Amino acid sequence: MSSINPDRLSLTTLRLLVAVAEEGSLSKASVRESIATSAASKRLSDLELALNTSLFNRNAQGMTLTPAGESMIQHARRILLAAATLAAEMSEYREGVRGHVRILAHLSAIIAFLPEDLERFFIAHSDLKVELEERPSSRVMKGIAEGWADLGICSADAEQPGLVATTYRRDRLVLAMRQDHPLAGTGPLAFADTLSFDHIGLHAESSIFTRSLIAAREASQVLRRRIHVPGFDAVCRTVQSNLGIALIPEPVFRILGPSMNLHYEELADDWARREIVIVRRGDQQLSAAAQLLLAHLLSADQRIGDDRPSS
Amino acid sequence: MSSINPDRLSLTTLRLLVAVAEEGSLSKASVRESIATSAASKRLSDLELALNTSLFNRNAQGMTLTPAGESMIQHARRILLAAATLAAEMSEYREGVRGHVRILAHLSAIIAFLPEDLERFFIAHSDLKVELEERPSSRVMKGIAEGWADLGICSADAEQPGLVATTYRRDRLVLAMRQDHPLAGTGPLAFADTLSFDHIGLHAESSIFTRSLIAAREASQVLRRRIHVPGFDAVCRTVQSNLGIALIPEPVFRILGPSMNLHYEELADDWARREIVIVRRGDQQLSAAAQLLLAHLLSADQRIGDDRPSS
DNA sequence: ATGGCCATTCGCGAAACGCGAAGGCGGTAG
DNA sequence: CTACCGCCTTCGCGTTTCGCGAATGGCCAT
């Protein structure tokens, strides 16, 4: 009924706990943790007393986990990992870093826009640090809503309640192909006219894939799709190998296409113009560092900046 | 350079930290945490000393977070949440629970198989507790690989290195429709012959959706798909409302279909027979409770039980 | 039977912790 | 301009916690 006082947990006890579990013996664990075995024993038995549950089975060979102990160390490991992450991050502050911003972004932005924007940001703010993680658009939204990061950058298609989205950039999808492809040089294309060729694309969660499925359905045709690859560079190499054509953002093509001698054609469809947004949680204020970064990103040349609630 | 000693962190300090951040004042926070303000002040300044970083800006109105402080409380909240979860779970052991098993499962299994299997399991093991969480198949695999749960149940299509998969059940996908639908009563169907009707389905990450996309492509046709809904019950209600037909597992149909007066037709395609597997990590031993549950699930009547590595 | 390995208990000293009182600093009201 | 008020910090003291080493008892293999 009554819950254990969570303050009773000390991180050293948790470390000791996993050490004992891993070493199989209290004495070995205590040398590993640089503590007298007597002290270690006391810590553990005090913990078990407070929990009113035995965590280990004792015998002459050492200590093995009880079921309760197994649950315990799973949580313990998780907590210790979080604590270590915290410690690492804080030590960066000590060495001059003045702010952390966590970003989730979809692949297009990471390849097309973010590097330059972040580079210019770091010139002005060498004391800030940004952690950037790639996710498909829908999971960017979820991640922000769940508090895993401060800012999210993704296509505006996905939706999630409780978030505020601000337009960041607009881009266009273009069709990448080999220079000797039949479609090369035939001018702006309707997506429907490309459906007789094999398409290459990212994983099924990507917004480009989702969007092209819808378009194919509207054209009452099927999307031929033999190959999924993990990144735009892989997409382009696959196109280069004559395995198909691919729908990619125009800025991405400008970066990857020329060096692989690829050709591109514009897409005439409306939905080829995409809106890329920066999302943040609506219910709590951004940290100063995140505000700085947000302001910087929105002040980039293509800035639009109309705020609006998402969903 | 050198990292802060993580043992320096005590959970009470972390709790105090978020209290101060939320209350905006050390004195208010100290009454909330039932501690003298002097002691609270000491805890915080000791922490800042150890970190060699200031976490708060002090002024006459109270205390506000510095950038470092903002990072800190994000981690602190996460750690405290984990600690509270741990405490809650451990208190269950104190009240007689003898083991915990965490399961990730895809929707089909949760609706079709798991309830009965778990029910019989609990009759034999009333002292064990199971935490069940729904995820699409691909994320079940990931979750197990990352150690978020002990056992995963999902379709065998997805793959992930480092996991061991055991066949759990086999099921078939059938086509659910209204009794007055044109396809009703026309005998076993080829999936390709159903593509001229609107399909209803789960979200895009579901393995059924992925599979039917492939099948549509192989038939060189498009999958008409107007509606995504969040669960099988919603799928069936949508079918009932004459918005389309739906591909669902046969056991799910048996549960939901009759009460909604729906009709079903078998699917002749090979891929309609699906294999549902139980996956677990290959690199570490299961807890005793998880072993029990695994054995129980595999001893169900349809048991197959051929072990093999995944990926 | 005996020695090795293992965990626990005990007493003592040191360090950490919490508390209340006193002090300094900055706004604000009269 | 001064007096006050709220806020955080510092200080000294008593209590509690913590860690250590030595001694104890159990189990197993030789």
Side-chain angles (χ1 to χ4, degrees):
Chain A
M1 167 159 311
S2 72
S3 176
I4 290 298
N5 180 0
D7 295 355
R8 185 129 236 117
L9 298 175
S10 98
L11 293 190
T12 62
T13 302
L14 292 186
R15 282 170 49 108
L16 180 64
L17 201 71
V18 324
V20 172
E22 287 175 5
E23 304 284 348
S25 131
L26 191 151
S27 44
K28 283 179 197 151
S30 56
V31 328
R32 166 168 145 187
E33 296 294 321
S34 309
I35 189 180
T37 63
S38 62
S41 172
K42 189 172 185 311
R43 282 197 105 100
L44 291 188
S45 47
D46 283 357
L47 179 64
E48 291 179 315
L49 186 66
L51 262 46
N52 198 22
T53 305
S54 75
L55 267 13
F56 291 94
N57 296 313
R58 277 83 164 164
N59 60 38
Q61 285 87 282
M63 305 173 83
T64 65
L65 288 167
T66 64
E70 306 216 35
S71 289
M72 184 87 179
I73 62 162
Q74 292 193 9
H75 290 280
R77 285 208 173 90
R78 213 164 288 166
I79 293 175
L80 291 172
L81 180 65
T85 310
L86 186 160
E89 187 166 304
M90 294 315 293
S91 83
E92 289 176 350
Y93 279 97
R94 191 173 34 131
E95 287 159 27
V97 175
R98 302 287 299 260
H100 274 257
V101 189
R102 266 169 290 272
I103 300 185
L104 304 180
H106 68 171
L107 201 49
S108 312
I110 291 180
I111 296 194
F113 311 127
L114 277 180
E116 291 86 6
D117 282 3
L118 289 181
E119 182 186 6
R120 283 186 294 129
F121 182 69
F122 285 136
I123 292 174
H125 304 281
S126 56
D127 52 355
L128 298 187
K129 189 173 170 193
V130 172
E131 278 159 44
L132 178 58
E133 200 177 320
E134 189 269 332
R135 299 200 186 180
S137 290
S138 62
R139 297 195 48 76
V140 166
M141 294 275 192
K142 271 186 204 162
I144 300 301
E146 291 167 5
W148 289 100
D150 305 298
L151 298 176
I153 297 176
C154 61
S155 129
D157 303 339
E159 295 213 343
Q160 184 87 14
L163 297 185
V164 176
T166 311
T167 302
Y168 171 35
R169 298 284 182 102
R170 302 190 197 281
D171 72 357
R172 280 192 322 204
L173 298 179
V174 299
L175 211 58
M177 62 194 73
R178 276 166 61 119
Q179 302 202 342
D180 57 0
H181 193 276
L183 286 175
T186 58
L189 297 166
F191 182 67
D193 297 337
T194 72
L195 288 170
S196 53
F197 298 94
D198 272 317
H199 280 242
I200 293 159
L202 299 174
H203 48 80
E205 289 184 73
S206 96
S207 61
I208 293 182
F209 178 59
T210 315
R211 201 59 194 75
S212 37
L213 270 183
I214 297 175
R217 195 189 62 216
E218 285 171 354
S220 294
Q221 292 192 45
V222 71
L223 182 62
R224 295 170 184 276
R225 187 179 188 77
R226 269 201 303 231
I227 302 181
H228 288 250
V229 292
F232 283 119
D233 45 359
V235 167
C236 288
R237 278 205 302 276
T238 314
V239 169
Q240 193 181 21
S241 308
N242 213 17
L243 292 172
I245 59 180
L247 208 53
I248 65 178
E250 188 217 1
V252 172
F253 181 87
R254 294 201 182 285
I255 295 164
L256 295 173
S259 65
M260 299 198 191
N261 275 319
L262 298 185
H263 181 81
Y264 82 96
E265 290 295 341
E266 295 189 3
L267 216 57
D269 305 66
D270 282 349
W271 55 266
R273 314 193 81 86
R274 299 193 309 166
E275 188 174 333
I276 296 184
V277 295
I278 303 182
V279 298
R280 59 185 187 275
R281 296 185 61 159
D283 61 350
Q284 65 187 47
Q285 193 154 15
L286 289 178
S287 72
Q291 284 178 20
L292 273 176
L293 179 55
L294 178 61
H296 172 84
L297 293 179
L298 293 180
S299 72
D301 28 22
Q302 297 201 24
R303 145 208 198 140
I304 322 270
D306 58 304
D307 249 17
R308 68 202 154 72
S310 166
S311 153
Chain B
M1 169 166 312
S2 71
S3 175
I4 290 298
N5 180 359
D7 294 354
R8 184 129 236 115
L9 297 174
S10 98
L11 293 190
T12 64
T13 302
L14 292 186
R15 281 170 51 108
L16 180 64
L17 201 71
V18 325
V20 172
E22 286 175 6
E23 303 284 348
S25 131
L26 190 151
S27 43
K28 284 178 195 152
S30 56
V31 328
R32 167 168 144 189
E33 295 294 321
S34 309
I35 190 180
T37 63
S38 63
S41 173
K42 188 171 184 318
R43 283 197 104 98
L44 291 189
S45 46
D46 282 358
L47 179 64
E48 290 179 315
L49 187 66
L51 262 46
N52 197 22
T53 306
S54 75
L55 267 14
F56 291 95
N57 296 314
R58 277 82 165 166
N59 60 36
Q61 284 86 280
M63 304 173 83
T64 66
L65 288 168
T66 64
E70 306 216 33
S71 289
M72 184 87 179
I73 61 163
Q74 292 193 9
H75 291 280
R77 284 209 175 89
R78 214 165 287 168
I79 292 176
L80 291 173
L81 180 64
T85 309
L86 186 161
E89 187 165 303
M90 293 316 292
S91 84
E92 289 175 351
Y93 279 96
R94 193 172 32 134
E95 286 159 26
V97 174
R98 302 287 298 261
H100 274 256
V101 189
R102 267 168 291 272
I103 300 185
L104 303 180
H106 69 169
L107 201 48
S108 311
I110 291 180
I111 296 193
F113 311 128
L114 277 179
E116 291 85 7
D117 282 2
L118 288 181
E119 182 186 4
R120 282 185 294 129
F121 182 69
F122 285 135
I123 292 174
H125 304 281
S126 58
D127 52 354
L128 298 186
K129 190 173 169 191
V130 172
E131 278 159 46
L132 178 58
E133 201 178 317
E134 189 269 332
R135 298 201 185 178
S137 291
S138 61
R139 298 196 49 76
V140 165
M141 296 274 192
K142 271 186 203 163
I144 301 300
E146 290 166 4
W148 289 100
D150 306 298
L151 298 176
I153 297 176
C154 61
S155 130
D157 302 340
E159 295 214 343
Q160 184 87 15
L163 297 186
V164 175
T166 311
T167 302
Y168 171 34
R169 298 284 182 102
R170 302 191 197 279
D171 72 357
R172 281 194 321 204
L173 298 179
V174 299
L175 211 57
M177 63 193 72
R178 275 166 60 119
Q179 303 202 340
D180 57 0
H181 192 277
L183 285 175
T186 58
L189 298 167
F191 182 67
D193 298 336
T194 72
L195 288 170
S196 53
F197 298 95
D198 272 316
H199 280 243
I200 294 158
L202 299 173
H203 47 78
E205 288 183 74
S206 93
S207 60
I208 293 183
F209 178 58
T210 316
R211 202 59 194 75
S212 38
L213 270 184
I214 297 174
R217 195 189 62 216
E218 285 172 352
S220 294
Q221 292 192 46
V222 71
L223 182 62
R224 296 171 182 274
R225 187 180 187 78
R226 269 203 303 233
I227 302 180
H228 287 249
V229 292
F232 283 120
D233 45 359
V235 168
C236 288
R237 278 205 302 275
T238 314
V239 169
Q240 192 182 23
S241 306
N242 212 19
L243 292 173
I245 59 182
L247 208 53
I248 65 178
E250 188 217 2
V252 172
F253 181 88
R254 294 201 181 285
I255 295 165
L256 294 172
S259 65
M260 297 197 191
N261 275 318
L262 298 185
H263 181 81
Y264 82 96
E265 290 295 341
E266 294 188 4
L267 216 57
D269 305 65
D270 280 349
W271 55 265
R273 314 194 81 86
R274 299 193 308 167
E275 188 173 335
I276 296 183
V277 296
I278 303 182
V279 298
R280 59 185 187 275
R281 297 185 59 158
D283 61 350
Q284 64 186 47
Q285 194 155 13
L286 287 177
S287 72
Q291 284 177 20
L292 273 175
L293 179 55
L294 179 61
H296 172 85
L297 292 179
L298 293 180
S299 73
D301 27 23
Q302 298 201 22
R303 133 195 214 159
I304 323 272
D306 59 304
D307 247 17
R308 67 199 154 74
S310 166
S311 154

